[in-house]
Amino acid sequence: MGRYIARRFLKAILLLLVISVFVFAIQLLTDDPARQLAGLEPPPEEVEAICEEYRLEKPVLTERFNSMKGLLSGGIGWSMK
């Protein structure tokens, strides 16, 4: 029974890693989220303000690493809504 639980736990961790890589790939393929939030042809000041508000100034890889580090420490992040 213990081996079964350990296998299921390892499979769950693997699944979470696969999902994280998938989300990371989607994030790399899409446009800048600040531009998407700002609307059509936003002024650069507005895009910069959105980047500061939602902490999007850092590269995507750094943001992903910080979010994974936060997940491991028990934080699930914050909502953009």
Side-chain angles (χ1 to χ4, degrees):
M1 183 66 159
R3 289 181 63 187
Y4 174 75
I5 292 173
R7 265 189 303 167
R8 296 289 291 192
F9 183 71
L10 289 175
K11 285 181 181 180
I13 290 175
L14 180 63
L15 178 64
L16 290 174
L17 285 174
V18 168
I19 290 171
S20 175
V21 168
F22 183 69
V23 169
F24 176 68
I26 290 174
Q27 194 173 6
L28 282 176
L29 293 174
T30 59
D31 194 21
D32 183 19
R35 287 193 182 281
Q36 291 178 353
L37 288 171
L40 296 173
E41 299 187 24
E45 299 84 22
E46 186 177 346
V47 174
E48 187 175 321
I50 290 173
C51 283
E52 289 176 14
E53 180 181 353
Y54 293 113
R55 296 180 277 176
L56 298 172
E57 305 93 16
K58 298 176 185 164
V60 175
L61 189 58
T62 305
E63 292 292 335
R64 179 60 56 194
F65 177 75
N66 289 339
S67 67
M68 295 304 273
K69 189 169 63 171
L71 278 175
L72 291 175
S73 67
I76 57 171
W78 50 276
S79 175
M80 291 180 70
K81 292 183 181 181

